[in-house]
Amino acid sequence: MRSACKTYLKIFILGDKTSLDNKDIFKNLGIIHLFSLSGLHISFICFILKKLKFKNIFIYIVILFFLFLTGFNASTIRASLSLLFLNINNKYK
């Protein structure tokens, strides 16, 4: 039971589907997309860190570390760049 929880947390947080045993079951149920990383992960990290009053540079470092952990997936890179450009746009109007 405990190892199953670790496996699912690893899949949900880091998007690592290699340890997923029954991938076909999740595809047939139509929920395999829940295991994909998206901009929601980046937004959630940013939201939590901003609520804790961290500076933007620290947030960028944490997101860069998250990108490293996830293997620089295209969707996380896109979301991170969008976040960076949004913050630059807000700063310089």
Side-chain angles (χ1 to χ4, degrees):
M1 175 74 173
R2 182 164 263 229
S3 66
C5 289
K6 283 184 180 180
T7 302
Y8 287 122
L9 282 175
K10 183 178 177 184
I11 294 168
F12 280 126
I13 295 172
L14 299 178
D16 182 20
K17 296 179 206 148
T18 58
S19 57
L20 190 61
D21 294 332
N22 299 321
K23 209 182 278 189
D24 293 331
I25 293 172
F26 294 108
K27 283 182 185 179
N28 291 338
L29 289 174
I31 59 171
I32 193 73
H33 67 279
L34 295 175
F35 299 119
S36 299
L37 292 177
S38 64
L40 180 66
H41 291 82
I42 302 294
S43 299
F44 185 70
I45 291 170
C46 182
F47 176 76
I48 295 296
L49 293 176
K50 282 189 177 186
K51 285 291 183 184
L52 295 174
K53 307 288 186 204
F54 283 105
K55 301 275 185 189
N56 279 343
I57 190 71
F58 180 75
I59 294 171
Y60 297 144
I61 291 170
V62 169
I63 289 175
L64 185 64
F65 181 70
F66 183 72
L67 284 171
F68 177 74
L69 284 178
T70 59
F72 293 95
N73 291 332
S75 60
T76 55
I77 290 173
R78 183 177 56 242
S80 300
L81 287 176
S82 294
L83 176 72
L84 177 67
F85 291 143
L86 179 70
N87 284 339
I88 289 171
N89 187 30
N90 287 341
K91 184 174 182 177
Y92 295 110
K93 303 281 183 224

